[in-house]
Structures are given as structure tokens and as C-alpha cells.
Amino acid sequence: MLDTAWVRDHLDLLERALRDRGAQVSLDEFNSLDEARRKVLREVETLKARRNKASEQIAALKKDKKDAAALIDEMRGLGDRIKELDAKVAAIDASLEEWLLTVPNVPHESVPRGKTSEDNVEVRRRGQPRKFDFKPLPHWEIGARLGILDFERAAKIAGARFAVYTGAGARLERALINFMLDLHTREHAYTEVLPPFMVNTKAMIGTGQLPKFADDLFRVEKTDYWLIPTAEVPLTNLHREEFLDGKQLPISYAAYTPCFRSEAGSYGKDVKGLIRQHQFNKVELVKFTVPEDSYETLERLTRDAETVLERLELPYRVVALCTGDLGFASAKTYDIEVWLPSYEAYREISSCSNFGDFQARRASIRFRRGQGAKAEFAHTLNGSGLAVGRTLVAILENCQRRDGSIAIPEALQPYFGGKEIVAT
RNA sequence: GGAGAGGUACCGAAGUGGUCGCAACGGGCCCGCCUCGAAAGCGGGUUGGGGCCUAAACAGCCCCACGUGGGUUCGAAUCCCACCCUCUCCGCCA
């Protein structure tokens, strides 16, 4: 959410930013609401000031055992008028809030301008895509042959876009989760968190999933609970409506959670395999920083996520998303893309973003630099470290052998408890 | 799910209709005095949001907030209603 006063003073800047994003937002609506609000507010506050004065006088009169009937009489009716105007302000406030909650974040100046993912800019590339001396199989075929992935039975018990992992498949997924969590907590100093997998509406508003993107979420019927689409939601909201101690910043959290996404509107996309599922596992990284450090921190967080791929010896590249491809709440995003032989392309496996104070404003996450210092909004960041299912896909496809077996990357072997997966 | 207790500032806690958000009192923290320095003692300070005024202001004036939302009243932390959360006991349950 943007700051009302900031919007008021930076209309031209905001207009340009929204155009870069390709967002449709009416600034006129903001102007008229904002002006109307301040006008009514001035009126009702004047009345309230008079009422407060009169109350004092009535109290003083009564204390001296004098007659206050005249004044009380005069005040009668003022209360109703105030109530009326208060309701008016509340109505305008609600509209203004709705407007503010649906306006996306302003991109950082370092974000490349562009319309679609075509305009994203590759930042770096690590590792070489392997040259196969046989035709590499897509992971769903590998999974079927090895008997470790079962999409048919998943469809039976749940539906499309679900998977059942069995045997070495399930073990590999679990090994990846543990490997990632250990790496980030032991070597990158993140604090491990195991949060609820359902959150309330307030939390979803705090990180920006609501009110705009309800269609992407699963909601638990007859409750105020939503299934989390990413651990970003519970982790960032951990400090909702809190004051953090500036000396404690940055705060870094890492969490494994399943993620639930409706994938509405993605019919026909990635229908085969594990790439796009209603439920998938992810290790998520979340950081809270002071404003002046957040962009430097984004570089570090992205590096932390990349380290997973480096240790697993998987080729990848990092791209800076352009203004048109940026997520709603993000001020700047790097996507990490892993090489997938069956697609002959790099596919997203992590998205690392700096939200600036956008989420902090919505969720009221503030900090003080010291005793008695003024309150400031913290900056929030997050990134996948990594999407576990897609990492498993990358291993199956990149580490497959001619005989159909899988060579487990060395770093993962202690977690997996073996060096390879062979058909049983 | 049932019964009871409670949600007040950084923490504890008082306040049950009248100048109380300059919300008592303790504690903490910050500043000053004292001291060679510290402790003790003494004095002062210590919430957030919004509006007005400003070139701007953490300068001034004003409004709002005592879990949340309504209601009663000239006036609500205080009375009434609904809801949320925490704690204790009972029931059910992995």
C-alpha cells in the first residue's frame, strides 16, 4: 500500500510508474476521494472541538452546582450531526482504502523498463547445460519409469495438478527440504520457522494477496482461513502490527511449507508433470531490514537462494524482471531460472523480491532506531530458497543417465541416504 | 462445545459517567543535577494515527484511539449489545 500523503504529493511520478507497469488505475478517483475526505474531516473536527469545550464547561458548572441546562440544550443535536459526518468520513475512508489496496507498488529506479517477460534482463549465468549423448526424457516419464511419481492416482484421490511421490521420490523431496533448510539456517544465518499453513484475511491483505487476487487462492469454507500460496504470507505477517527494535534488524526467517494455489487461468499451461501444481513444497526466505539496506539485502538474499543450485551443480541464470513483469507488491524482483533439458529452456525456480515499505505499510510493520526515536516502516523482502518440486524436476532431468537411473548430486547424498535412484 | 476470569501506554497495575490520552501509582528506558566515575537520591521526559498551518518540521493548534464494532448520553476507559483474543476448569479429540 502506498502512503496517502505520498500519493497526494507525487501524482506525476506515480502516474509514470503505473504506466511502466501497464496498470490501470484512476488517479482522479484518488484526488476526489482525498479532497472530499479532508473537507468533511475539517467540518466534523470543528464540531468535535466545540463539543469537547462545552463538555468541560458543563462539568465545571455542575461542579459549582450551577445550572447547565442551557448549554446541554445547545449541545443536543450536535451529537447527531457529528455521527452523520463521522459516517460520511468512514464511507470515504473505506473507498480510499480500497483504492490504495489495489494500487501496485512503484518499481525501483534500477528496474528495467519493459512490457512483458521478453523485456527481462539476464543478469548472470552459472553452470553449463549438459550435452546429452542420448535423448533426455521429461521428468514425468522419468518419474513413471522409476516408479517414484504417480499422477494418475493423484488425480483419483484429489484431481488434476496434484502428484503422489512414492519411495525414492518422496525421500528425494524430503532430502531437498532438509538440505535447503540446513544450508540457510547454518550457513546463511536464517532462523527456522514452522508456521501455520492457513492464515486469516488480515494476513493475506498484509502481504498483498488480498483483496485483488482472491481467485488465485484456496479458501476454507465457513471460516476466515485461507490456504497459504507461499510461506511469505505467514512469515512476513509474523511481525504485523509490531514495533521492531532497529538493532535487531535485519531479521531473517527460513521456512518449509506446502503452498496452495488455485492456478486459475493457467488452463493448458504446464499440464504435464510437477511444474504447475495446486499443492507444492517450498522453502521460503523472508527478511526485514532498515530502508537504506534493502536493495543490498536483495542481492544477498538472491545469492543465498542461488547457492542451493550451485551446491546441487545445476545450471541456472538470474534475470531482473522488467517493470511490466513485476509482481503487484514488488519494487524489484530477480527470478532464478534453472535449466530444464526437456524444455530446452531456463524455468523459474525462485523469485526474490524487495517490497520496500509496501507490505510494511499494509501490515503495519515498524521499527525504531533507538529509545524514543520516531517510528519508521521496515522494508520486507522474500525469495524462494527454493521451490522444492521444481528442484526435484531439475535433478531428475539434469542428472538422468542413459540407463534411466538418476545420479544424486554429491551435496545431497548425505540427506538422501544414497548416490542414485534406479528402477526397482 | 459448556462455565468462569480478563484484555488500559515499553512492562505491571489503578481508574466503574464529568475538564482521563498532561490515564494515578510501581518498574523500565532516556536527559539533566549530584559524583573522580558509578550507584543511590533529586528534577524532567518517555504511544500511535489523522487534519489544519507551514518551504518544511519529530514548532504550533485541533481531532481520533483504553481488544474490535455498534448503542445510550450534552459528555463513555467507565453503562448496554454483539464479536474477537488470552487464561482457568469441564467435555471432545491427534
Side-chain angles (χ1 to χ4, degrees):
Chain A
M1 180 165 59
L2 304 174
D3 178 48
T4 316
W6 185 90
V7 172
R8 197 182 295 146
D9 298 338
H10 298 83
L11 282 172
D12 45 339
L13 207 158
L14 180 59
E15 193 170 12
R16 196 169 61 231
L18 293 175
R19 202 181 321 121
D20 286 345
R21 267 182 174 276
Q24 299 293 318
V25 177
S26 162
L27 295 180
D28 291 344
E29 189 183 344
F30 170 84
N31 271 329
S32 61
L33 285 171
D34 181 50
E35 262 172 53
R37 173 174 176 274
R38 286 188 289 161
K39 179 170 169 280
V40 181
L41 214 49
R42 276 197 298 275
E43 192 181 347
V44 71
E45 284 187 2
T46 308
L47 295 182
K48 283 180 179 175
R50 200 203 299 165
R51 180 177 70 181
N52 290 344
K53 270 277 186 304
S55 277
E56 268 178 45
Q57 290 166 357
I58 291 167
L61 287 173
K62 290 218 166 182
K63 200 174 172 190
D64 297 345
K65 307 251 191 271
K66 287 183 190 155
D67 181 34
L71 200 49
I72 289 174
D73 221 46
E74 196 190 322
M75 285 302 109
R76 224 184 289 278
L78 192 65
D80 289 338
R81 178 69 183 144
I82 287 173
K83 218 166 278 177
E84 216 173 276
L85 291 172
D86 269 343
K88 216 163 155 183
V89 172
I92 297 171
D93 269 343
S95 304
L96 204 55
E97 171 102 344
E98 199 187 314
W99 187 90
L100 283 167
L101 285 176
T102 52
V103 176
N105 201 358
V106 173
H108 188 248
E109 60 204 13
S110 65
V111 173
R113 291 228 189 134
K115 285 188 160 60
T116 68
S117 55
E118 303 282 299
D119 303 316
N120 294 343
V121 175
E122 183 174 308
V123 175
R124 58 182 165 270
R125 211 178 259 235
R126 294 285 147 84
Q128 284 291 324
R130 179 180 151 199
K131 299 253 190 322
F132 288 89
D133 55 5
F134 61 93
K135 174 110 176 95
L137 298 175
H139 68 275
W140 56 88
E141 279 186 33
I142 300 170
R145 288 186 187 202
L146 292 172
I148 59 174
L149 292 176
D150 188 340
F151 294 99
E152 283 75 31
R153 289 199 175 91
K156 178 170 66 182
I157 59 175
R161 294 209 189 283
F162 286 94
V164 173
Y165 297 67
T166 56
R171 186 153 37 104
L172 182 55
E173 182 91 356
R174 177 161 54 90
L176 282 168
I177 292 166
N178 288 334
F179 167 70
M180 291 178 195
L181 279 175
D182 280 352
L183 173 66
H184 295 309
T185 56
R186 289 177 186 164
E187 297 186 38
H188 302 148
Y190 288 77
T191 301
E192 185 170 343
V193 178
L194 183 63
F197 302 160
M198 293 185 243
V199 298
N200 56 34
T201 299
K202 264 192 174 177
M204 286 292 188
I205 290 173
T207 30
Q209 282 73 23
L210 292 178
K212 254 192 127 169
F213 307 105
D215 286 350
D216 298 335
L217 302 171
F218 285 112
R219 181 172 200 165
V220 181
E221 238 186 314
K222 292 174 186 157
T223 69
D224 186 37
Y225 298 138
W226 305 76
L227 298 185
I228 57 170
T230 159
E232 162 195 355
V233 181
L235 292 188
T236 304
N237 279 285
L238 280 179
H239 295 301
R240 179 157 48 93
E241 284 153 47
E242 284 187 18
F243 278 94
L244 302 170
D245 178 357
K247 290 190 225 36
Q248 291 175 338
L249 298 175
I251 294 172
S252 306
Y253 294 132
Y256 150 72
T257 70
C259 302
F260 304 91
R261 298 186 183 179
S262 73
E263 294 298 343
S266 67
Y267 309 109
K269 268 193 223 162
D270 304 312
V271 286
K272 276 203 171 288
L274 283 175
I275 295 295
R276 195 174 295 275
Q277 299 275 292
H278 285 312
Q279 175 187 323
F280 63 95
N281 294 311
K282 185 153 61 73
V283 169
E284 182 76 359
L285 307 174
V286 167
K287 282 177 180 276
F288 301 82
T289 75
V290 294
E292 64 271 24
D293 289 350
S294 66
Y295 284 93
E296 196 186 313
T297 303
L298 175 63
E299 301 297 324
R300 263 200 69 183
L301 185 142
T302 307
R303 287 294 308 147
D304 291 341
E306 283 173 57
T307 306
V308 177
L309 292 172
E310 281 169 19
R311 296 286 169 89
L312 295 176
E313 301 165 67
L314 294 168
Y316 70 89
R317 62 171 194 166
V318 178
V319 298
L321 297 195
C322 72
T323 49
D325 205 24
L326 221 49
F328 173 77
S330 176
K332 181 173 186 174
T333 297
Y334 290 117
D335 273 6
I336 302 173
E337 301 179 338
V338 71
W339 176 260
L340 292 185
S342 72
Y343 290 81
E344 289 186 318
Y346 287 97
R347 292 296 309 254
E348 177 187 340
I349 198 164
S350 172
S351 193
C352 302
S353 302
N354 181 7
F355 302 94
D357 63 5
F358 188 83
Q359 292 181 327
R361 217 176 271 287
R362 291 176 156 243
S364 191
I365 302 165
R366 291 173 287 184
F367 76 98
R368 288 184 219 276
R369 291 176 192 271
Q371 280 288 334
K374 74 167 188 192
E376 298 176 65
F377 286 107
H379 279 198
T380 61
L381 303 93
N382 71 51
S384 345
L386 307 165
V388 181
R390 289 187 180 184
T391 307
L392 183 136
V393 166
I395 289 174
L396 293 186
E397 295 200 0
N398 282 288
C399 306
Q400 59 182 305
R401 298 177 181 136
R402 180 185 284 279
D403 66 2
S405 65
I406 304 298
I408 299 296
E410 204 175 320
L412 198 60
Q413 289 174 8
Y415 289 92
F416 180 72
K419 294 185 169 170
E420 58 179 8
I421 302 176
V422 295
T424 48

